[in-house]
Amino acid sequence: MTVNARRQAAPVPVNSDHAIAAAYNQAGDEYITYADGNPILLFAFDGRYGYGDRRIWELLDTRLRALRISGADTVRILDLGWGPGTWLRRAVTRAREFGFCHIIARGFDIAEDQIRRARELSETLRGRRGVDLSFEIGDICEPYPEADASVDLCLCLCGVLNHLPAPDLRPVLREIGRVTRGDFVTTVRAIGSMPTVYVGAVEDARSFRQDNQNNRLDVEFQNGRRISLNSHLFDAAELRALVTPVFAIKDLFGLDLFHGRFAEDSRWNPKHCKTTDKFRSELDRLEKIYCREAGFIDHATHLLLMATPREKAAKAILPGVVPARRNTA
């Protein structure tokens, strides 16, 4: 079906990918600023989710550095469903700085307007020597063209999994596990997080309601526009149980338990109420203490999970070394 035909089609069910694509298409360029901050200053991390983004980037930067130090001169990166392509552009930029000779990076999303913007923003980067960077319209629930165990770093960030209907989650994770040979990194909205309407700032909404039992978010915006999206909020135990059959989890922790809740708002807080470096440092300390604690993790803005396919994890056991048996007596 062509893009024009899809746009002229009759209204579609709330849980379909067409409803999600339409919502992100209508969000347009404003979505990039809301989600990522300045799209040109890749490493400024001054957007609404700046603290969490810095933590994600520390992890990705470390993984790319470790891969290069191991002797690899080629890296393959796959970004699942992150429309404007900011994270993929960050990863490719850093991979070039680390000296990878060949960088194969593909990102896809169901929102064609977000893909258009990603292509525009990456035009200069795509022309660099040794960089094979592409952004395509695609569905995360469909098979990927990547070969088995070919992807060094697979990203699925910023709540993409929150939008998937429950029956699609396990097949999607199996497909991700099939193509991944390195690390899989995902972030999802936590069940105790502060509200979001995903496609823009929550204050742009006149009303909204998240129904986690039926996995649905209904939003009416200030301009009268209405959207209904598939939306499911995860707790840490649920996410762990979902991923464990396919992946060996390396880490799972909460992103932004405190920073977002203590951020000042220029529309409300006087200028002299600015947070100090000492105060931000204390928030950093608290984040590190509580981000994995059972009583706190589910109240983070996002949950971050890093994992590797179970088959790869099993092969990583040294030859001749027998894993310790668990005492079942």
Side-chain angles (χ1 to χ4, degrees), residues 3-29:
V3 172
N4 286 337
R6 283 204 301 269
R7 285 176 173 167
Q8 295 170 4
V12 292
V14 63
N15 286 348
S16 78
D17 57 357
H18 295 276
I20 296 169
Y24 282 91
N25 280 331
Q26 291 177 32
D29 291 347

Side-chain angles (χ1 to χ4, degrees), residues 312-327:
K312 181 197 172 204
K315 289 180 179 178
I317 299 175
L318 294 175
V321 176
V322 180
R325 287 189 173 182
R326 184 178 299 173
N327 186 354

Side-chain angles (χ1 to χ4, degrees), residues 142-179:
E142 298 295 329
Y144 314 146
E146 281 75 16
D148 293 359
S150 62
V151 176
D152 298 294
L153 187 58
C154 186
L155 310 179
C156 187
L157 303 175
C158 302
V160 173
L161 295 183
N162 291 103
H163 289 318
L164 295 187
D168 290 337
L169 284 166
R170 292 196 184 278
V172 164
L173 288 168
R174 285 196 296 269
E175 181 66 359
I176 294 172
R178 178 188 69 79
V179 303

